[in-house]
Amino acid sequence: SAALAPVSSLLRSAAAFYTKQLTSRPIMTKSLTAAIVFGLSDWCAQLIELGESEEGADDDVASSESGKVVFSRILTSFLVGLLFFGPAANAWYSMIFQVLPSTSLVSTLQKAALGQIFFGPTFTCVFFGAGMIQSGSFSLGAWFTKVREDLPAVWASGLGDWPL
């Protein structure tokens, strides 16, 4: 429709710009994208947590202690996306597509399995540490304990995202 033409044109221009940036500055573009997605995701998660806290569903929610969104938590998520996930995911996917270049179903399933076995748990450990640093509770011993106690359950819940 003619009414949507300006929006459609804007979206095409944005997509062309983003694609050009991915080609000319892949790591920076992926890092900024991850940072924005991580930051916005944490902000949305805190809004959900605040809503649940107001309904009395959970009184032990980090962001609801003051009844406000915790900016340092959003910043931590943003920085994890920018400084770790963007560059690490770029390196991981570059490597995995060199090892398994096919786009067949079997190759795709192999890539997904390798990501679940290696990349996902590694990233989760980094995210645990970043969250502990943000909350002021980080020590190597506490981090190792958190990884030992929480990683298996987090990893197993991630497997539930894959339909069998």
mmCIF file of all heavy atoms in Angstrom, residues 10 46 69 82 88 125 163:
data_model
loop_
_atom_site.group_PDB
_atom_site.id
_atom_site.type_symbol
_atom_site.label_atom_id
_atom_site.label_comp_id
_atom_site.label_asym_id
_atom_site.label_seq_id
_atom_site.Cartn_x
_atom_site.Cartn_y
_atom_site.Cartn_z
ATOM 1 N N LEU A 10 12.426 2.937 4.173
ATOM 2 C CA LEU A 10 13.327 3.106 5.308
ATOM 3 C C LEU A 10 13.916 1.763 5.746
ATOM 4 O O LEU A 10 15.121 1.663 6.010
ATOM 5 C CB LEU A 10 12.586 3.767 6.472
ATOM 6 C CG LEU A 10 13.389 3.979 7.746
ATOM 7 C CD1 LEU A 10 14.536 4.963 7.501
ATOM 8 C CD2 LEU A 10 12.502 4.475 8.860
ATOM 9 N N GLN A 46 14.024 -7.259 33.128
ATOM 10 C CA GLN A 46 13.785 -6.541 34.384
ATOM 11 C C GLN A 46 12.360 -6.010 34.455
ATOM 12 O O GLN A 46 11.737 -6.037 35.528
ATOM 13 C CB GLN A 46 14.790 -5.392 34.545
ATOM 14 C CG GLN A 46 16.192 -5.878 34.854
ATOM 15 C CD GLN A 46 17.096 -4.735 35.243
ATOM 16 O OE1 GLN A 46 16.776 -3.964 36.158
ATOM 17 N NE2 GLN A 46 18.231 -4.615 34.560
ATOM 18 N N VAL A 69 14.272 -0.404 37.564
ATOM 19 C CA VAL A 69 15.198 -1.089 36.676
ATOM 20 C C VAL A 69 16.626 -0.733 37.101
ATOM 21 O O VAL A 69 16.925 0.417 37.411
ATOM 22 C CB VAL A 69 14.930 -0.668 35.207
ATOM 23 C CG1 VAL A 69 16.018 -1.158 34.285
ATOM 24 C CG2 VAL A 69 13.570 -1.181 34.757
ATOM 25 N N LEU A 82 28.950 -6.685 23.762
ATOM 26 C CA LEU A 82 29.922 -5.911 22.990
ATOM 27 C C LEU A 82 31.323 -6.513 23.048
ATOM 28 O O LEU A 82 31.978 -6.687 22.022
ATOM 29 C CB LEU A 82 29.975 -4.470 23.516
ATOM 30 C CG LEU A 82 30.945 -3.521 22.812
ATOM 31 C CD1 LEU A 82 30.445 -3.196 21.423
ATOM 32 C CD2 LEU A 82 31.112 -2.251 23.631
ATOM 33 N N ALA A 88 33.420 -13.259 20.135
ATOM 34 C CA ALA A 88 33.523 -14.711 20.307
ATOM 35 C C ALA A 88 32.612 -15.448 19.327
ATOM 36 O O ALA A 88 33.017 -16.466 18.745
ATOM 37 C CB ALA A 88 33.181 -15.097 21.745
ATOM 38 N N CYS A 125 29.385 -19.524 31.304
ATOM 39 C CA CYS A 125 30.359 -19.299 32.383
ATOM 40 C C CYS A 125 30.813 -17.839 32.414
ATOM 41 O O CYS A 125 30.929 -17.245 33.495
ATOM 42 C CB CYS A 125 31.563 -20.232 32.223
ATOM 43 S SG CYS A 125 31.161 -21.966 32.489
ATOM 44 N N PRO A 163 13.778 -28.733 19.334
ATOM 45 C CA PRO A 163 12.744 -29.775 19.165
ATOM 46 C C PRO A 163 13.360 -31.051 18.600
ATOM 47 O O PRO A 163 14.247 -31.004 17.756
ATOM 48 C CB PRO A 163 11.760 -29.151 18.184
ATOM 49 C CG PRO A 163 12.529 -28.111 17.457
ATOM 50 C CD PRO A 163 13.606 -27.641 18.395
#
